[in-house]
Amino acid sequence: MQALESELPNLAGDVMERVRANRPRVHCITNAVAQTYTANVLLAAGAIPSMTIAAKEIVPFVQRADALLVNLGTFDTERQKASLAAIAAVTKAKKPWVLDPVFIDRSAPRAALAKKLMAKSPTALRLNQAEFETLAGGKFSERSIQHYAAKYRSVIGMTGEADHVRDARRSAVVGNGHPLMAKVTAMGCAGSAYLAACLAVEKDPWLATAAALIIFGVAGEIAAARARGPGSFAVEMLDALHNLDRATLVKKAKVK
């Protein structure tokens, strides 16, 4: 483990506490079925959500936000237009943004838009292995993910049984999380929104991405230990994020 990686749990604690102290506003262009849960996750974690995609107000909302999430889970024309306008606004303001290319492995038009948005160099890209392989046009490997991160000047947070965090120079593998996280709709979308909140308070995008995945994964483990199934897990996840403390985070973090 590199020196910085060995400090990641404590650094993640710093990021978690800064989100709570600074209360960043995250504007979310996201999956229609994910909006309510995403908003509740941000509020539980200490951030402030906004969600509009209306053409007349998307730019003013994004200009007042501290970070942006663009999630392709609902592929309608209004969200596509809102995404382009919002990305232009945050790019001009030099604010961070996250691309979550949901299900692009199942839809060629959606994949084409994701590739178009990647050319705009999102601060962070959060996705799973199938989505990465669709974007990259080849199989996942340590070399391919590093090359892709360098090419687009983005940090990649690739989630799965283990989460890979990669930029052009640094890598980490996060082993936290629980299978119940895949049983609640919007969990991944909400995780991407929380990543945007971390980017809003941490200037190093690689560190912010690693911190977000560690925090979210640890909270998932705590929530699963208290839940009776997916329904109660969704509620327990909100409580776990809200109540998570640095000592518990550092103790439970699994990073290599």
Side-chain angles (χ1 to χ4, degrees):
M1 187 184 293
Q2 300 171 9
L4 179 57
E5 290 172 1
S6 66
E7 300 170 3
L8 272 177
N10 259 313
L11 293 171
D14 291 340
V15 174
M16 178 179 70
E17 290 172 356
R18 269 182 273 144
V19 169
R20 291 169 177 169
N22 296 348
R23 303 191 70 217
R25 180 178 295 278
V26 178
H27 192 80
C28 304
I29 301 174
T30 192
N31 194 327
V33 302
Q35 287 182 297
T36 299
Y37 194 72
T38 296
N40 284 335
V41 162
L42 287 172
L43 289 168
I48 302 171
S50 57
M51 298 280 177
T52 186
I53 58 171
K56 292 182 178 180
E57 62 181 14
I58 182 67
V59 170
F61 263 80
V62 172
Q63 287 173 335
R64 293 186 62 185
D66 300 296
L68 169 70
L69 166 65
V70 174
N71 176 301
L72 302 184
T74 303
F75 194 67
D76 57 71
T77 300
E78 189 174 15
R79 280 179 173 78
Q80 292 180 50
K81 291 180 178 178
S83 296
L84 293 171
I87 292 167
V90 293
T91 300
K92 183 177 181 179
K94 297 182 178 179
K95 294 178 181 178
W97 67 284
V98 177
L99 176 62
D100 187 344
V102 178
F103 289 153
I104 59 168
D105 51 313
R106 305 183 189 184
S107 166
R110 190 178 299 213
L113 177 61
K115 291 175 181 178
K116 179 179 179 180
L117 298 185
M118 280 305 302
K120 301 179 184 297
S121 296
T123 314
L125 173 66
R126 187 183 182 278
L127 74 181
N128 62 31
Q129 183 172 331
E131 292 158 354
F132 171 76
E133 290 177 348
T134 299
L135 277 180
K139 293 294 184 181
F140 159 73
S141 68
E142 287 296 330
R143 183 174 181 179
S144 67
I145 197 171
Q146 178 187 16
H147 174 76
Y148 198 82
K151 179 179 179 180
Y152 290 100
R153 304 185 304 281
S154 299
V155 178
I156 299 175
M158 193 183 79
T159 58
E161 289 187 14
D163 298 339
H164 294 259
V165 184
R166 199 67 167 94
D167 68 5
R169 300 179 293 109
R170 297 166 292 179
S171 66
V173 178
V174 179
N176 294 104
H178 192 276
L180 276 175
M181 298 177 80
K183 300 294 185 181
V184 177
T185 190
M187 189 63 65
C189 304
S192 295
Y194 184 65
L195 166 54
C198 292
L199 288 168
V201 301
E202 172 51 54
K203 292 182 179 180
D204 180 345
W206 181 84
L207 173 55
T209 304
L213 294 180
I214 293 168
I215 294 161
F216 218 71
V218 169
E221 292 174 1
I222 294 170
R226 298 171 178 168
R228 301 181 306 280
S232 55
F233 175 78
V235 175
E236 292 289 354
M237 184 68 179
L238 298 177
D239 290 347
L241 278 170
H242 182 74
N243 295 317
L244 184 59
D245 60 80
R246 177 191 290 268
T248 302
L249 179 67
V250 171
K251 180 180 179 181
K252 291 183 175 291
K254 302 169 187 173
V255 186
K256 63 179 180 179

